[in-house]
Amino acid sequence: MSSGLVVLVVPENDRQVRLLEKAIRGIGVRDIEVVSGGDEALHWLSVRSCDVCVLSHELPGKRTGLDTLLNLRSHRPNLPVIIVSRSGSEKVAVGAFHAGVVDYVPTTRGYEIAVASLISQIKVSSSTGPVVPTQIVPAGVQDHALRPTYQNKLRVIGRHLDVQRFRRANILEVEGGFIVRATPTGSRNNETLEFVDQQFPQLLASAAAVRGDGERPGSNANGLLPTGYEDFLRQLAISLTGLRRGSHIQRT
């Protein structure tokens, strides 16, 4: 790793700084800048530059890491950003991926090593290949819940629809993932959500850590979908998988 790589760390607290600095220095990076809070990070980036930013979602002050990321993207759209969070929220993970982060890393045990591994793949010059996302597996999560199967992909999409209280959804499978057009509860306007294949390993891990593998009613439960979108799409995926084995189904 080139010693010329500059890493900006925007941490939750001093303990996080110590963990991240130790791991990042372990891959040969010496130039690590630390700022406190989202406003300070945006000011720092307005006058200086770095090669990668490690940004915590939980920040001191009123601005969250996701707020900071969205503001940062309007000024530095191509800066590689790794967002870390202890929130366990799919909303944060999906929002981070939609903003084009390198990866979203939950702050479970060993997360700092995963962050350092991602940084080791980022070069000062343009990368010769894609950065491989991490998968931080929480304790107690079964392996089958983490496999990016057709069933699990639709299940994690359904969970996001339930958690964010969408009441109507149109799901289109496209090359490289899914596009979902959904209507939030209390609104008449559709929102477009993208779920990219490379996001699913970490989205599955985050969802399994929060929800587990058991069934429960979703927040959108009603007469037609008594357990919400997640379990409905999970069961639908089982049926579609069976059909796909016996015939050719073309998907856009």
Side-chain angles (χ1 to χ4, degrees):
M1 171 65 67
S2 170
S3 60
L5 197 70
V6 178
V7 177
L8 175 65
V9 176
V10 191
E12 176 182 4
N13 50 42
D14 291 341
R15 180 177 184 275
Q16 190 170 77
V17 172
R18 291 193 296 271
L19 287 172
L20 288 170
E21 281 191 327
K22 181 178 179 181
I24 294 170
R25 293 191 192 285
I27 59 170
V29 175
R30 295 291 175 262
D31 198 345
I32 302 173
E33 302 286 341
V34 180
V35 298
S36 177
D39 290 332
E40 290 81 357
L42 293 171
H43 175 72
W44 191 95
L45 287 166
S46 70
V47 296
R48 300 186 60 182
S49 63
C50 63
D51 300 291
V52 58
C53 175
V54 181
L55 174 65
S56 174
H57 176 63
E58 294 76 27
L59 294 175
K62 295 181 179 180
R63 189 189 293 270
T64 68
L66 193 55
D67 294 335
T68 303
L69 175 63
L70 296 175
N71 197 305
L72 184 155
R73 277 288 173 250
S74 65
H75 302 287
R76 301 288 297 275
N78 299 318
L79 175 65
V81 176
I82 301 165
I83 195 164
V84 299
S85 176
R86 58 175 167 78
S87 70
S89 168
E90 291 95 326
K91 180 179 180 180
V92 176
V94 172
F97 281 123
H98 286 172
V101 296
V102 172
D103 204 1
Y104 166 88
V105 182
T107 54
T108 55
R109 178 173 296 185
Y111 78 95
E112 71 277 9
I113 304 302
V115 169
S117 175
L118 289 165
I119 294 173
S120 71
Q121 301 178 59
I122 299 172
K123 307 299 183 183
V124 176
S125 58
S126 60
S127 177
T128 57
V131 174
V132 180
T134 60
Q135 185 176 6
I136 308 299
V137 181
V141 176
Q142 299 297 312
D143 180 64
H144 69 85
L146 302 174
R147 298 188 190 114
T149 61
Y150 194 62
Q151 175 183 336
N152 281 342
K153 287 178 180 180
L154 284 183
R155 184 176 189 176
V156 80
I157 290 173
R159 174 171 173 77
H160 183 73
L161 294 174
D162 285 339
V163 169
Q164 299 306 311
R165 299 187 62 80
F166 286 98
R167 59 184 175 85
R168 185 182 297 115
N170 185 312
I171 302 172
L172 180 66
E173 185 176 8
V174 297
E175 183 176 356
F178 295 82
I179 293 176
V180 180
R181 294 184 177 89
T183 307
T185 298
S187 174
R188 296 182 179 181
N189 299 320
N190 287 338
E191 294 184 12
T192 299
L193 312 172
E194 296 179 4
F195 293 84
V196 181
D197 281 343
Q198 70 175 17
Q199 302 173 2
F200 278 108
Q202 195 56 66
L203 289 177
L204 287 167
S206 299
V210 176
R211 184 191 190 285
D213 193 35
E215 305 300 332
R216 71 178 183 190
S219 60
N220 273 357
N222 56 45
L224 293 177
L225 300 177
T227 59
Y229 279 111
E230 179 176 1
D231 294 335
F232 171 76
L233 291 177
R234 173 178 176 268
Q235 189 60 45
L236 179 63
I238 294 173
S239 300
L240 291 176
T241 301
L243 288 172
R244 289 163 67 202
R245 289 196 183 103
S247 61
H248 297 284
I249 297 178
Q250 182 175 356
R251 301 187 307 279
T252 304

